[in-house]
Amino acid sequence: MKKIIEVELKTRSAALAECKTQMLAIGHFSDGKKPLPEIIELCKKLGGAIEQVVKLGDFKGKTGTSALIYGNNHIGAQRVLIVGLGEQKEATIDTIRQAAALAANKAVGMKAKTMAVALHRAFGAKFEPGLLAQAMAEGIYYGSFRYDEYITSDEDGRTDSLVVEVIDDNAAKTKQLEDGLFKGAIIGKAQSYARALANRPGNVINPPSLAAEAKKLARNTKGLSCTVLDEKQLAKLGMGGILAVGSGSKTPPRLIIVKYSPKGKASKLPTVAFVGKAITFDSGGISIKPAQNMEQMKLDKTGGITVLAAAKAAAELKLPVNLMAIVPSAENMPSGTSYRPGDIVTTYSGKTVEIQNTDAEGRMILCDALHYAVKQNCDVIIDVATLTGACVVALGTFMAGLMGNNEQLNKDLEEAAKTSGEKVWQLPCGDDYAEEMKSKIADLKNSGGRWGGACTAAAFLRQFVGDKKWAHLDIAGVDCFEKPTASAAEGASAFGVRLLTTYLMNLTGGKKRK
Ligand code: BES
Ligand code: MN
Ligand code: ZN
């Protein structure tokens, strides 16, 4: 089986024109004023080729676009890729992340094994060098990622490694750039880990094999430990929600708990719980889904995988926080042993739920996991789930739905969304919506009326967090790319890995909280 492309990141202080590399990536704002002297130098050596692409209007500097110019014997690079950065005043830290992803995507597409990157130079002093480097590193991992571990033919002959040098002639910035690259590489690797695992199909990843992956992750990552509850232990604890959803499948459900605590200081630090939905395949169960696009439902485990990857990043960054990644996992299948519409399920919290639709299974596994988190005495709970089609209708494929019971927590997540480039939008989940989830014959039902499905689902979850600070991210619309984009291969997006890691970095003093 093919391994994912390995990325190596370094810094180098050199002049652009001298860089020996298979591809040199530079940035260009659409309203760019006078270019940097070293870019002018590069232009000269290229004999006016860069000016020509701009003059002809072939390249306007818009985001998501680029122009390729071939090198000559006056410069060291075989190719120069000019990447559009859009309007200068609109630029955010995500602009450079996306530009770096585009460049890495192109490099892999051209089978380049080496790339030199100077994208950050165009940004001047707008952002700290460390932040720019971190975002570039994240982007480079993102754009170079391919999911092809099951492709046995080698027609394409893709490279298996990409060595990237970040070029700056100001040696005083090197330390900051290196620190940023170090952080960005950790987050980038966590993203790639999540994307590879999430893309694996339902015949490979089921609850027990996902649990084995989590155990392996904990074994291979300093600071992590992993506990797995099997179906017998779930029954003993009374986790009726997880058991009901898993009852139709040959592969039994699991509750996976991955813990991280920094060495020695655990007792003084806050404890955060990330809860992630991991339905390894969602057929809908007895309330079966239509055949069209059902194969996409192998991605119904992305919430769970995101929180595992965030735990990996937190441990490798050695963040001063206690973290618990809690992942309820089941396969939702129709069979003679499945749970049925009309069933009344007693959940871990003791609350009873009337099943109206077996396809509303995410909330049934999450309610047990959320109650488990509450019992663990954590300070904050954030859950991540591909929970509702309604959220996709409301927000499309660009932003995750953010719901919760604490204004400060929502704000902190919005702040993290800004830097991480993983966008969120607040939706309500208050009492009006909770009213919709009341059953006549049980405490709750698992499906509300026709309207506001993302909000009623969140209002259901809210019943299980007591008075804990809680936020819920509905990632149903952002968990994958249906088609390849300028900066990403199609398939799982690992949405939330950057967002959650950034949230933790901000919380633990990386940045002042407002
Ligand atoms: N996993 C789905 C939600 C989903 C839909 C994710 C589309 C990604 C893309 C979830 O389990 C589901 O089936 N939700 C139902 C709930 C309904 C039955 C109340 C839905 O949204 O239709
Ligand atoms: Mn479903
Ligand atoms: Zn689902």
Side-chain angles (χ1 to χ4, degrees):
M1 244 169 30
K2 278 202 197 101
K3 290 230 163 67
I4 60 172
I5 296 171
E6 223 167 276
V7 178
E8 195 185 327
L9 296 167
K10 315 181 207 178
T11 56
R12 182 161 146 201
S13 106
L16 288 188
E18 258 114 71
C19 262
K20 281 213 168 30
T21 178
Q22 293 175 358
M23 181 192 279
L24 167 66
I26 57 174
H28 184 84
F29 284 109
S30 59
D31 54 350
K33 289 180 217 108
K34 217 172 159 233
L36 296 165
E38 58 170 351
I39 302 234
I40 297 177
E41 178 70 19
L42 186 72
C43 289
K44 261 196 215 147
K45 293 197 165 156
L46 279 168
I50 297 183
E51 292 93 321
Q52 192 69 358
V53 228
V54 177
K55 209 154 129 203
L56 289 175
D58 295 4
F59 173 74
K60 297 193 174 71
K62 289 197 177 137
T63 55
T65 70
S66 62
L68 186 69
I69 288 162
Y70 288 92
N72 56 18
N73 49 17
H74 303 295
I75 71 163
Q78 292 175 356
R79 311 170 178 93
V80 177
L81 186 77
I82 321 171
V83 186
L85 301 174
E87 277 184 50
Q88 195 145 17
K89 65 172 183 329
E90 302 288 325
T92 65
I93 200 72
D94 200 44
T95 308
I96 191 164
R97 186 182 289 113
Q98 295 302 328
L102 185 152
N105 192 6
K106 290 267 183 206
V108 170
M110 285 171 207
K111 303 186 180 63
K113 283 179 184 299
T114 59
M115 176 166 77
V117 174
L119 294 162
H120 62 297
R121 302 297 307 276
F123 288 78
K126 186 163 178 175
F127 303 102
E128 293 162 27
L131 266 187
L132 287 166
Q134 184 192 324
M136 274 195 288
E138 291 164 1
I140 288 161
Y141 274 92
Y142 211 86
S144 62
F145 179 85
R146 298 287 184 275
Y147 183 70
D148 53 10
E149 61 181 349
Y150 285 100
I151 295 177
T152 60
S153 75
D154 209 19
E155 283 163 25
D156 205 27
R158 73 130 161 99
T159 53
D160 36 63
S161 67
L162 180 65
V163 178
V164 182
E165 290 180 322
V166 170
I167 308 296
D168 202 306
D169 58 3
N170 180 355
K173 283 199 281 182
T174 305
K175 172 84 175 72
Q176 286 173 340
L177 289 173
E178 272 171 2
D179 283 354
L181 290 183
F182 178 77
K183 285 183 194 160
I186 287 174
I187 298 172
K189 277 181 211 162
Q191 283 179 154
S192 298
Y193 168 81
R195 289 170 84 183
L197 201 49
N199 278 323
R200 286 191 191 148
N203 61 334
V204 175
I205 299 293
N206 52 51
S209 71
L210 181 63
E213 284 291 339
K215 287 249 179 200
K216 188 165 127 199
L217 174 70
R219 257 198 322 274
N220 296 337
T221 315
K222 241 192 179 161
L224 292 186
S225 64
C226 176
T227 313
V228 176
L229 304 184
D230 66 16
E231 68 275 27
K232 285 189 202 101
Q233 292 161 298
L234 294 174
K236 232 185 193 162
L237 288 168
M239 296 208 177
I242 302 177
L243 286 167
V245 176
S247 63
S249 171
K250 260 201 158 166
T251 54
R254 294 286 182 264
L255 181 67
I256 304 162
I257 303 123
V258 169
K259 282 190 191 168
Y260 160 66
S261 285
K263 244 190 176 163
K265 328 171 242 192
S267 60
K268 295 183 213 98
L269 298 169
T271 299
V272 175
F274 288 159
V275 177
K277 167 179 172 180
I279 294 293
T280 58
F281 182 69
D282 183 11
S283 70
I286 298 293
S287 316
I288 198 163
K289 287 181 183 294
Q292 204 179 15
N293 299 331
M294 203 203 268
E295 74 285 351
Q296 290 289 323
M297 284 299 136
K298 71 171 185 179
L299 293 171
D300 214 20
K301 58 186 181 295
T302 48
I305 291 169
T306 289
V307 305
L308 292 177
K312 169 176 155 72
E316 289 176 0
L317 290 166
K318 300 195 171 72
L319 297 181
V321 65
N322 297 305
L323 179 66
M324 234 182 290
I326 303 171
V327 182
S329 183
E331 187 184 36
N332 190 19
M333 295 294 257
S335 81
T337 56
S338 298
Y339 79 137
R340 351 163 161 62
D343 283 2
I344 295 176
V345 172
T346 302
T347 66
Y348 184 37
S349 68
K351 287 194 166 74
T352 55
V353 183
E354 179 195 356
I355 304 302
Q356 294 216 311
N357 191 320
T358 62
D359 198 10
E361 84 297 339
R363 61 201 79 182
M364 296 309 297
I365 65 168
L366 285 169
C367 67
D368 283 353
L370 287 170
H371 185 67
Y372 182 86
V374 169
K375 289 184 71 155
Q376 298 302 304
N377 247 332
C378 50
D379 302 291
V380 179
I381 305 174
I382 300 171
D383 78 71
V384 190
T386 46
L387 202 62
T388 66
C391 190
V392 194
V393 173
L395 299 177
T397 57
F398 309 106
M399 295 190 190
L402 166 64
M403 286 141 272
N405 62 7
N406 184 280
E407 219 172 292
Q408 182 61 51
L409 180 55
N410 280 351
K411 274 195 195 142
D412 288 349
L413 284 165
E414 283 176 335
E415 186 65 32
K418 254 191 231 155
T419 6
S420 67
E422 295 187 321
K423 298 180 212 139
V424 299
W425 196 261
Q426 272 197 48
L427 296 171
C429 65
D431 293 346
D432 295 341
Y433 299 98
E435 199 60 36
E436 295 274 298
M437 301 308 291
K438 284 190 175 151
S439 161
K440 291 201 179 81
I441 56 169
D443 299 331
L444 293 159
K445 53 187 182 182
N446 80 331
S447 149
R450 195 166 159 205
W451 312 117
C455 307
T456 51
F460 176 94
L461 298 180
R462 190 180 180 154
Q463 317 291 308
F464 295 88
V465 297
D467 51 13
K468 293 281 181 203
K469 288 181 203 161
W470 159 77
H472 157 64
L473 294 161
D474 192 331
I475 59 164
V478 291
D479 67 329
C480 73
F481 300 101
E482 280 171 17
K483 291 191 206 102
T485 72
S487 50
E490 69 182 286
S493 67
F495 185 102
V497 176
R498 287 200 309 272
L499 176 68
L500 293 181
T501 310
T502 309
Y503 164 79
L504 290 177
M505 287 165 97
N506 291 350
L507 185 74
T508 56
K511 207 170 168 188
K512 235 174 88 190
R513 291 172 76 198
K514 275 188 216 125

